[in-house]
């Protein structure tokens, strides 16, 4: 590999929100660096193109608001990849929401994806990545640190993600597994 890029050969990675944007680009880049990738997303018409660019990676349609769909997507990835080393909780939506005069439906539509979807993803993947080389990555945006106007509903997920995920090599403090016992 050139430019200081390490090979990811042998790593098994699940990416949520993989139909477009960061998720699709990340899945492609991980595959280029040697990882075996599974991709899930809620836009099957867009999602179908990503696995082809990732060596015919396993994929499925998944609405992260549904715990059952997330559980099934993680199991699909584990079955097809022969296990799981990394989960990338990337699925998320942004919407503007002023507190004064804002539509509460916006908050109620975004938080099941941004908060519950992240939780469901990490919860379902945790038993599979609870090993020494396991890793969970929650994709957040600058919204976690910058107070952009009208993005309170979107920002809620990113602030929470920033506080629950530990640095590389450490299990999150809330992770109660045998892998965390030796930290």
């Amino acid at each position: 590999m050139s430019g200081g890029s390490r090979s990811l050969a042998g790593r098994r990675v699940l990416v949520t929100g993989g139909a477009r944007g960061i998720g699709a680009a990340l899945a492609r880049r991980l595959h280029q660096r040697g990882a075996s990738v599974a991709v899930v997303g809620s836009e099957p018409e867009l999602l179908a193109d990503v696995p082809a660019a990732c060596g015919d990676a396993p994929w499925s349609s998944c609405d992260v608001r549904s715990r059952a769909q997330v559980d099934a997507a993680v199991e699909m990835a584990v079955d097809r990849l022969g296990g799981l080393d990394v989960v990338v909780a990337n699925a998320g939506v942004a919407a503007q929401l002023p507190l004064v005069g804002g539509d509460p439906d916006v908050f109620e539509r975004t938080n099941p994806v941004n908060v519950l979807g992240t939780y469901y993803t990490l919860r379902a993947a945790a038993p599979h990545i609870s090993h020494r080389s396991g890793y969970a990555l929650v994709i957040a945006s600058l919204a976690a640190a910058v107070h952009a106007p009208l993005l309170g509903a979107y920002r809620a997920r990113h602030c929470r993600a920033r506080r629950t995920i530990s640095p590389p090599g450490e299990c999150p403090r809330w992770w109660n597994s045998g892998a965390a016992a030796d930290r």
Side-chain angles (χ1 to χ4, degrees):
M1 297 267 136
S2 62
S5 295
R6 288 186 6 219
S7 171
L8 297 174
R11 301 290 281 171
R12 301 159 300 181
V13 183
L14 171 63
V15 179
T16 68
R20 59 189 164 106
I22 291 170
L26 181 60
R28 288 182 180 106
R29 183 68 175 130
L30 289 167
H31 171 71
Q32 289 169 355
R33 291 190 48 202
S36 297
V37 180
V39 187
V40 298
S42 62
E43 300 167 301
E45 65 284 352
L46 298 174
L47 185 62
D49 294 336
V50 178
C54 297
D56 290 322
W59 66 280
S60 70
S61 180
C62 175
D63 182 344
V64 297
R65 296 174 299 181
S66 165
R67 184 170 22 132
Q69 286 188 37
V70 173
D71 289 347
V74 169
E75 288 307 315
M76 175 277 303
V78 168
D79 291 344
R80 297 283 305 277
L81 299 177
L84 198 59
D85 299 304
V86 178
V87 64
V88 180
N90 172 67
V93 294
Q96 292 188 343
L97 176 65
L99 287 177
V100 176
D103 183 356
D105 289 340
V106 172
F107 192 82
E108 292 166 0
R109 279 192 313 269
T110 58
N111 274 300
V113 174
N114 296 345
V115 178
L116 290 177
T118 300
Y119 167 73
Y120 293 156
T121 299
L122 296 175
R123 177 189 169 277
H128 306 288
I129 61 172
S130 293
H131 53 82
R132 194 168 273 300
S133 60
Y135 192 75
L137 175 64
V138 175
I139 300 297
S141 74
L142 197 53
V146 175
H147 302 287
L150 305 179
L151 290 180
Y154 179 66
R155 191 171 179 276
R157 176 251 189 141
H158 299 293
C159 289
R160 184 69 190 140
R162 225 175 92 204
R163 288 172 177 80
T164 60
I165 300 301
S166 297
E170 292 182 21
C171 287
R173 285 183 292 283
W174 48 266
W175 204 301
N176 185 14
S177 71
D182 60 354
R183 55 186 161 153

